[in-house]
Amino acid sequence: MAEQVQTYGRKKTATAVAHCKRGSGLLKLNGSPIELAQPAILREKILEPIYLLGKERFANVDIRLRVKGGGDVSQIYAIRQALAKAIVAFYQKYVDEASKQEIKDILVRYDRTLLVADPRRCEPKKFGGPGARARYQKSYR
């Protein structure tokens, strides 16, 4: 049985799934290299877990990511969360607890949303107004 873990990341309605297995440092996003992720400005955000932990921790694993739903920014945040959770889960299951704890501490110290999902969602619109909280203007004459 191949050593592999499957994790997910979520942000608003975007969901990213990461398949992590032992390999040679391959990182794919929807079948293409992660370096080609769009938009280019947010590409650094995806690569943050790799910069934080160092390339050598990713050198012996292959990670394949799939993402759907949400907008550009939400997808980027979902991807980085799935990536970070995948490396933590892989190290916990197939390496050792101490190195997993070290990785987890580095990630949480930098940004907690790398491992913990953001529960905020869009509030539904109600009657009597144009949005969730705003009411229609009242006229006295």
Side-chain angles (χ1 to χ4, degrees), residues 58-82:
F58 288 86
N60 60 350
V61 292
D62 287 349
I63 301 177
R64 287 186 165 79
L65 293 143
R66 285 194 325 269
V67 65
K68 62 181 176 195
D72 285 345
V73 176
S74 292
Q75 284 193 350
I76 297 290
Y77 276 86
I79 291 163
R80 72 200 280 267
Q81 187 182 56

Side-chain angles (χ1 to χ4, degrees), residues 87-93 95-105:
I87 202 77
V88 168
F90 186 85
Y91 270 71
Q92 180 177 13
K93 203 167 176 186
V95 188
D96 62 342
E97 193 66 29
S99 58
K100 174 225 119 173
Q101 198 56 48
E102 185 188 344
I103 288 172
K104 206 169 173 179
D105 290 343

Side-chain angles (χ1 to χ4, degrees), residues 8-37:
Y8 65 90
R10 283 205 179 112
K11 173 80 168 144
K12 294 185 179 175
T13 56
T15 306
V17 179
H19 289 282
C20 180
K21 63 181 184 195
R22 210 173 278 288
S24 57
L26 192 72
L27 281 169
K28 294 273 189 171
L29 172 60
N30 288 343
S32 59
I34 205 162
E35 289 77 29
L36 302 177

Side-chain angles (χ1 to χ4, degrees), residues 100-116:
K100 174 225 119 173
Q101 198 56 48
E102 185 188 344
I103 288 172
K104 206 169 173 179
D105 290 343
I106 292 167
L107 294 172
V108 171
R109 203 174 313 123
Y110 178 74
D111 184 1
R112 190 162 179 265
T113 57
L114 279 168
L115 295 176
V116 182

